[in-house]
Amino acid sequence: MTTSTSTTYRPTAPTRATATRLPRPRPHSGLPREPTDLTAALPPAFEAFCALNRSSYLDYARAHLPDVQAHRLVRRLLGELAVGWLDIISSPDPQGRAWTQLRTRVQIAAPALPALETCPPHQYDALVLHCKLGYTSARAAAVMGLDASKVRYLVLSATSARRQAARRLHPPPTARHAA
């Protein structure tokens, strides 16, 4: 005859002797430490790009939009550029590509003055940067991704009416664009 004994399982708290010991990391084990800060790290090239261009992008946006809206637009643009950064720097003209994205967003937010509506895009930008904001040809060219000689040509070939219209460009009052 077989006797069956029933044992009930009772979980017990591990004692110091039976507890599983995890190895402690050695301070100088030669292995890289895991970062404790979980914020996203931007590529240094993108941070440099932002440092070089943020103020110029804001100047251009402020020439067309109220201050708060200009800041918002540039902040969103830089965020989008960060997301697509690898695609942008793999293009033949990263500076020009980023500038075109800025120009497009500003044109959507604030249409051009009637005297400048028919102005070619690069000429319009050169006139705003040079005539309105006082940028040198070299600085405007660096921001737009063009040669300085091209910017000089664009400004000098513009009619005096277009140059005057660019100088009179000003952002509309904040109340009109509160969105």
Side-chain angles (χ1 to χ4, degrees):
M1 179 188 248
T2 334
T3 337
S4 74
T5 56
S6 166
T7 55
T8 47
Y9 175 74
R10 292 185 194 183
T12 58
T15 63
R16 190 173 182 100
T18 62
T20 307
R21 290 186 52 146
L22 297 174
R24 290 187 182 184
R26 287 185 262 163
H28 300 290
S29 65
L31 297 175
R33 293 181 154 226
E34 288 293 318
T36 56
D37 183 15
L38 297 179
T39 57
L42 296 172
F46 180 74
E47 289 181 359
F49 173 85
C50 288
L52 289 172
N53 295 297
R54 181 181 287 118
S55 65
S56 297
Y57 284 14
L58 273 172
D59 289 345
Y60 184 82
R62 282 183 188 139
H64 298 86
L65 302 165
D67 198 47
V68 171
Q69 191 177 1
H71 274 276
R72 233 182 261 141
L73 185 141
V74 171
R75 188 174 51 245
R76 283 186 193 135
L77 172 71
L78 292 176
E80 290 171 20
L81 293 176
V83 169
W85 184 243
L86 292 178
D87 187 41
I88 289 174
I89 60 171
S90 65
S91 74
D93 182 17
Q95 189 74 22
R97 188 166 170 188
W99 180 260
T100 300
Q101 289 183 20
L102 171 70
R103 177 195 322 124
T104 302
R105 281 162 182 74
V106 168
Q107 284 176 341
I108 290 169
L113 294 174
L116 296 170
E117 284 179 337
T118 59
C119 193
H122 282 311
Q123 187 174 49
Y124 177 87
D125 295 342
L127 290 171
V128 170
L129 291 171
H130 183 74
C131 296
K132 171 68 179 166
L133 299 173
Y135 282 34
T136 64
S137 299
R139 185 171 175 208
V143 170
M144 294 172 60
L146 299 174
D147 287 332
S149 60
K150 172 88 174 188
V151 171
R152 280 192 297 277
Y153 169 77
L154 290 169
V155 171
L156 293 174
S157 65
T159 63
S160 61
R162 283 184 176 164
R163 286 195 294 272
Q164 288 301 321
R167 285 185 186 101
R168 289 190 309 269
L169 187 67
H170 62 280
T174 305
R176 272 178 59 193
H177 287 282

